[in-house]
Amino acid sequence: MLKIGCHLSSSKGFLHMGKEAVSIGANTFQFFTRNPRGSKAKPIDEEDVRAYLSYAKEHEIERIVAHAPYTLNACSADEKVREFALMTMKDDLERMEYLPGNVYNFHPGSHVGQGIEKGIDWIASLLNEILTPDQHTIVLLETMSGKGSEVGSRFEELADIIEKVECKEKIGVCFDTCHVYDAGYDIAGNLDGVLKEFDQIIGLEKLYAVHVNDTKNPFKSHKDRHEKIGEGYLGTEVLRKVVHHPLLAGLPFCLETPNELEGYAAEIKMLR
Ligand code: FE
Ligand code: FE
Ligand code: ZN
C-alpha cells in the first residue's frame, strides 16, 4: 500500500494530525517538531501521544516524518549557532522517543564561506554528539537544492557526512524531488539514472523518506521554491513515476507543496 501524505501543522497535537491525515486520504504525514523559526518546543502531551498511537494503528499510519526547524545551521561558523542546533536536535530526539520507529529530517546546513569540507565536518561532529545506538529514531539528511552555500546538494556530500558518522544505523537520507532537480539531478529526463547514482554513491538502503514537490524553477536553478504538483517544471507524470517507482516502494512520500488541506487531498488522490 502506497504511503503518501503531506506536511501538516502540529499546533493542535498528534491526534489532530492523525485525523487530518485520514480525512485527506493520507496514511503518513510530516510535521515540524516546533515552530519552524526554531522557538521553544511545547512539552510532550503524553495523553495526546497515546491517543494518537492507537488511532494511527487503527488507521494504518505507519511511518511519520518529523522535520527540524529549517533555521538551524549545524555547520555555521558561529559556535553559538551550532550549539543551538545541537541542543534543539537533541531535545527533539528525546521527544521523538515517545513515538518510536519514525524518522527525523533536517537540513544539513550552510557553510557560509568556510567551504564544503569544513561544513561536512561540523555536521558529522554534531551528529556524533547526538546519535546514540539505542535511540528509536533514524535521523535523515535532506537532499538540498544548493541555494547559497548549502551543504548536501550533491549525493557525494551526503555520503561524506554519513561516512564520518559513527552510529551509521541511525542515519539516513530524505530525497526531495524539488531540491534534487534544482540541484542538477535530472529526475524528469532520467529518474532511473538518478536513482542508480544515488544507490552507487549513498546506497538506496539509506533512503528513508521522500518529499514530493514540483518546482517553480528550471533544472539546476539552485532555488528551492516548491510548486503544486503539475504546475511546475517536473509535472504530474514524473512525480507519479516517483511515488510508484519499485525501488522506492514502502517509503513514506510527503507533499510539501503550497496547498491547504483540500489541495493536498486532491494531489494525494491524483498521485495514488
Ligand atoms: Fe525540508
Ligand atoms: Fe523538503
Ligand atoms: Zn524545499
Side-chain angles (χ1 to χ4, degrees), residues 185-204:
Y185 291 100
D186 188 12
I187 57 169
N190 186 11
L191 175 61
D192 287 342
V194 172
L195 292 179
K196 190 174 173 198
E197 193 173 341
F198 185 98
D199 192 35
Q200 283 165 346
I201 295 168
I202 298 174
L204 280 169

Side-chain angles (χ1 to χ4, degrees), residues 2-4 175 177 187-188 191-192 195 210-214 228-231 233-249 251 253 255 257 265-272:
L2 179 61
K3 272 203 259 307
I4 186 166
F175 185 102
T177 57
I187 57 169
L191 175 61
D192 287 342
L195 292 179
V210 179
H211 286 163
V212 185
N213 301 310
D214 211 327
K228 290 180 180 159
I229 306 301
E231 293 183 21
Y233 280 86
L234 287 170
T236 308
E237 272 325 300
V238 168
L239 294 167
R240 193 180 280 139
K241 250 192 236 163
V242 169
V243 306
H244 294 287
H245 199 288
L247 289 175
L248 307 179
L251 297 176
F253 294 93
L255 296 158
T257 47
E267 289 188 349
I268 288 168
K269 195 171 171 205
M270 178 168 71
L271 289 170
R272 277 199 192 282

Side-chain angles (χ1 to χ4, degrees), residues 67 105 107 142 176 179 211 213 226 256:
H67 196 307
N105 173 63
H107 294 180
E142 182 164 354
D176 185 307
H179 298 178
H211 286 163
N213 301 310
H226 304 185
E256 301 175 306

Side-chain angles (χ1 to χ4, degrees), residues 43 53 83 94 144 147-148 155 177:
L53 288 174
E83 184 65 18
E94 276 162 25
M144 301 310 291
K147 188 177 53 178
F155 296 160
T177 57

Side-chain angles (χ1 to χ4, degrees), residues 161-175:
I161 296 169
I162 294 169
E163 180 55 37
K164 291 173 193 268
V165 168
E166 285 149 30
C167 241
K168 291 209 172 28
E169 70 282 10
K170 303 300 178 192
I171 186 87
V173 172
C174 172
F175 185 102

Side-chain angles (χ1 to χ4, degrees), residues 143-159:
T143 58
M144 301 310 291
S145 69
K147 188 177 53 178
S149 63
E150 272 174 354
V151 178
S153 68
R154 304 299 309 165
F155 296 160
E156 286 83 356
E157 295 164 18
L158 298 175

